[in-house]
Amino acid sequence: MSAMSIDLSMLAFSPPGWGGNLLRGLVHTVEIAVGAYALGLTLGLGGAMGKLNGGPVLRGALEAYTTIGRAIPELILMLILFYAGPQFLNNILTSYGYPLVDINGLAAGIFVLGVVQGAYSTEVLRGAIQSIPLGQIEAAKAYGMSPWKRFTRIIFPAMIPNAIPGLANLWLNVTKDTALLAVVGFSELMLETRQAAGTSKAYFMFYVAAALLYLALSQVSILIFSWIEQRQRRGIARVA
Amino acid sequence: MTDQPIIAARSNPITDGTWRSMKIFGYITIAILIAVGLAAWLGQWGWLDPAFVKSNGVAPKYLEQFGYGLIRTLTLLIVSVVIGYALAIPIGLVQVTGPRPLAWLASGFCTFIRGTPLLVQLWLFYFGFGSLFPQIPWIRQSFFWEYLRDGFNYALFAFTLSFAGYEAEIMRGGFLGVPKGELEAARAIGMSSFTVLRRIWLPRALMLVLPTLSGEVVSQLKSTPLAATVTVFDVYGIGREVQQDMFLTYEPLLLIAAIYGTLTAIIATAFKFVENLIPTRRG
């Protein structure tokens, strides 16, 4: 029965407690999530502009990217990218006579999650840009703004309030998707938890602790995003 | 009058773009099919042959295994969606109209489900609760001990609760979205509150949330491969097994990606068909 009682001293920050490991895992989770989110937003912004302004070939390619990226389970896309990405990079490097590189886990995790996120970001940002009244963009054109200035001064600021609810959802998804990286062996919160639980045999306590850490992360994120949304929506009439 | 031709001549940036990208999407799809065809031609697919025998004399019958894997995946999906939805309706309803403690309990449940990764929930049930059960003697002697040792049941349980949590939040929105006047009219006719729910509130709420259901079911399908982490041999689990047995990297992954892609397309088409059957007035 001893294993059933919950021994909180195992959550202590210094060894033999595992609390420090869990927190380190949480930091890695946040790092991967931030990196993947940023990469996803970059791809998404490029993808959205490409879908709206690009030629037929670019549009078709982006349509294929967003369709496939959203139709196939994240876990499988991750595995494909996880195997294909490093191999592709190493093929290029060897063909130019460079030595093989060992790809760092953090970068690989950010890459695979970011590419998957990009498919979703493209759609969110495209929708946000399309909901800008066309007259505003035409007015900018009429003033003779260059495409770049039009983007930075009109399209981007006008799009942000529309995009924030969707982007908040994407952030919550990416923090949760980082857990999938444990399946391919990246050291983030889920894998640290698994190791702590496996070593100490206190499975129940450690998984509850991990769940609470994820919950705290998502609740804090929700608070931050609702604060940003309130700030961004200042002066905009509320729609239903 | 003078404005008329200008407006008519202006192209519609939204529909034009959709049409052109749809057309080119066809070409790109063909290109991808050719690429996959090349991969199929260049890759090693002998293991899919039902008569395939490994060098150690074992006939693994992978194609048959994929068939069973598909049945497990679909069972996980359909059972969790149906039971999850049945749970979501009361959980959504009590948040709108139920007594305070129940409403808090329901919204706490939704927050937990939506705020933590499904993998954590699954592992919490399988490894966490799964490690507690054997220590309780009466559970080991009871008839459901058999069920408590099978990872499939844990996956089914976790997926059902997860779907219930996400759907309950959507149902809450659906219940709130039904215009008050319709409910007041129903009461004014003399319907009891249960009849109002059964005849007006629930059907109207379901109609409101129907367009979201397709995406939610697809998300649920995309979550099912997680079951393989708790020893369930679903489509993904079989694919991983082939990867390890045959020392192949891409072929099994491409096959399972194609299977999930096809299932997604089938779900999306089926829901579109069902949505078109239900008369709704838009706008």
Side-chain angles (χ1 to χ4, degrees):
Chain A
M1 285 309 264
S2 63
M4 258 196 79
S5 61
I6 286 172
D7 180 7
L8 285 176
S9 72
M10 275 193 280
L11 286 172
F13 291 126
S14 53
W18 293 88
N21 292 43
L22 290 197
L23 283 188
R24 197 162 344 119
L26 181 65
V27 170
H28 280 162
T29 288
V30 174
E31 277 173 4
I32 294 174
V34 169
Y37 193 58
L39 177 60
L41 281 185
T42 315
L43 289 176
L45 200 54
M49 293 312 279
K51 265 196 170 184
L52 291 171
N53 304 323
V57 176
L58 179 64
R59 273 193 222 168
L62 288 170
E63 191 68 39
Y65 167 51
T66 53
T67 307
I68 293 170
R70 297 182 307 154
I72 292 167
E74 286 84 351
L75 191 57
I76 292 157
L77 284 178
M78 260 181 224
L79 284 175
I80 293 177
L81 291 171
F82 177 66
Y83 291 121
Q87 199 178 356
F88 181 65
L89 187 63
N90 275 333
N91 278 351
I92 294 176
L93 286 177
T94 44
S95 66
Y96 285 97
Y98 292 104
L100 294 178
V101 288
D102 210 20
I103 286 152
N104 136 321
L106 185 67
I110 287 173
F111 169 74
V112 293
L113 274 181
V115 171
V116 177
Q117 275 282 306
Y120 289 88
S121 304
T122 301
E123 291 300 316
V124 168
L125 294 176
R126 185 182 60 91
I129 293 173
Q130 271 182 334
S131 65
I132 301 171
L134 214 58
Q136 296 190 9
I137 298 169
E138 283 171 344
K141 278 185 196 168
Y143 270 108
M145 285 190 187
S146 69
W148 174 246
K149 196 167 258 181
R150 215 153 61 213
F151 179 75
T152 54
R153 287 223 180 138
I154 309 294
I155 296 177
F156 191 76
M159 164 198 85
I160 288 295
N162 298 328
I164 283 185
L167 294 182
N169 259 338
L170 286 183
W171 166 254
L172 293 175
N173 281 348
V174 77
T175 54
K176 286 185 275 175
D177 281 352
T178 53
L180 300 179
L181 291 171
V183 177
V184 286
F186 288 124
S187 159
E188 41 62 70
L189 177 53
M190 207 60 235
L191 196 71
E192 294 282 357
T193 307
R194 193 180 190 172
Q195 282 163 353
T199 314
S200 64
K201 305 289 175 216
Y203 293 98
F204 185 72
M205 188 187 74
F206 278 116
Y207 285 117
V208 169
L212 291 179
L213 285 177
Y214 278 113
L215 197 59
L217 179 59
S218 64
Q219 296 313 301
V220 170
S221 307
I222 288 172
L223 280 181
I224 294 173
F225 270 106
S226 68
W227 177 73
I228 295 175
E229 191 179 353
Q230 271 177 12
R231 275 183 63 88
Q232 288 293 335
R233 282 217 172 270
R234 275 179 310 186
I236 297 179
R238 244 194 138 74
V239 192
Chain B
M1 272 304 276
T2 46
D3 280 354
Q4 211 73 17
I6 297 171
I7 291 171
R10 204 170 80 180
S11 64
N12 182 334
I14 293 169
T15 50
D16 278 5
T18 316
W19 161 238
R20 258 190 292 163
S21 72
M22 287 311 273
K23 197 171 168 189
I24 202 70
F25 183 43
Y27 296 130
I28 299 279
T29 315
I30 292 168
I32 289 171
L33 286 180
I34 292 172
V36 172
L38 265 176
W41 184 45
L42 295 171
Q44 297 171 36
W45 295 95
W47 47 272
L48 268 180
D49 187 344
F52 171 74
V53 178
K54 284 204 287 188
S55 55
N56 59 6
V58 176
K61 294 198 175 136
Y62 286 125
L63 195 62
E64 202 181 309
Q65 287 198 46
F66 268 112
Y68 288 121
L70 189 62
I71 292 172
R72 285 191 199 103
T73 294
L74 289 177
T75 311
L76 282 173
L77 175 69
I78 294 168
V79 174
S80 69
V81 163
V82 171
I83 301 180
Y85 214 105
L87 290 173
I89 293 170
I91 296 171
L93 187 65
V94 296
Q95 288 184 68
V96 178
T97 181
R100 281 264 176 83
L102 264 180
W104 283 334
L105 200 66
S107 80
F109 170 75
C110 287
T111 308
F112 177 79
I113 294 290
R114 286 151 39 88
T116 57
L118 179 54
L119 191 63
V120 177
Q121 296 159 21
L122 180 61
W123 286 3
L124 176 62
F125 293 132
Y126 183 71
F127 296 113
F129 283 104
S131 73
L132 296 184
F133 292 138
Q135 295 163 13
I136 306 167
W138 65 266
I139 285 186
R140 290 193 77 140
Q141 277 135 33
S142 66
F143 73 97
F144 44 77
W145 175 237
E146 227 14 66
Y147 298 98
L148 287 176
R149 293 199 309 179
D150 190 353
F152 187 83
N153 297 317
Y154 288 91
L156 203 53
F157 186 68
F159 292 169
T160 303
L161 287 192
S162 164
F163 195 74
Y166 281 94
E167 273 312 310
E169 190 66 23
I170 292 173
M171 281 310 294
R172 189 182 72 95
F175 282 123
L176 284 174
V178 177
K180 281 247 159 35
E182 295 184 21
L183 303 178
E184 281 163 10
R187 273 188 214 113
I189 293 173
M191 289 187 186
S192 68
S193 25
F194 182 72
T195 313
V196 173
L197 177 68
R198 186 170 58 92
R199 288 223 181 133
I200 313 288
W201 208 6
L202 182 59
R204 288 286 285 123
L206 287 176
M207 267 164 89
L208 284 177
V209 302
L210 187 66
T212 64
L213 191 56
S214 162
E216 291 296 314
V217 174
V218 169
S219 301
Q220 184 73 359
L221 170 72
K222 286 164 47 184
S223 307
T224 56
L226 293 181
T229 63
V230 295
T231 71
V232 176
F233 282 98
D234 65 336
V235 170
Y236 170 80
I238 303 283
R240 293 290 274 173
E241 194 195 346
V242 175
Q243 269 193 316
Q244 279 154 20
D245 283 2
M246 301 300 302
F247 306 108
L248 292 171
T249 308
Y250 295 108
E251 288 88 344
L253 282 179
L254 284 179
L255 180 65
I256 52 185
I259 293 176
Y260 283 105
T262 312
L263 289 178
T264 302
I266 291 173
I267 292 171
T269 317
F271 271 98
K272 201 156 274 174
F273 180 72
V274 172
E275 271 173 47
N276 287 340
L277 288 183
I278 295 174
T280 46
R281 206 180 65 185
R282 292 269 152 78

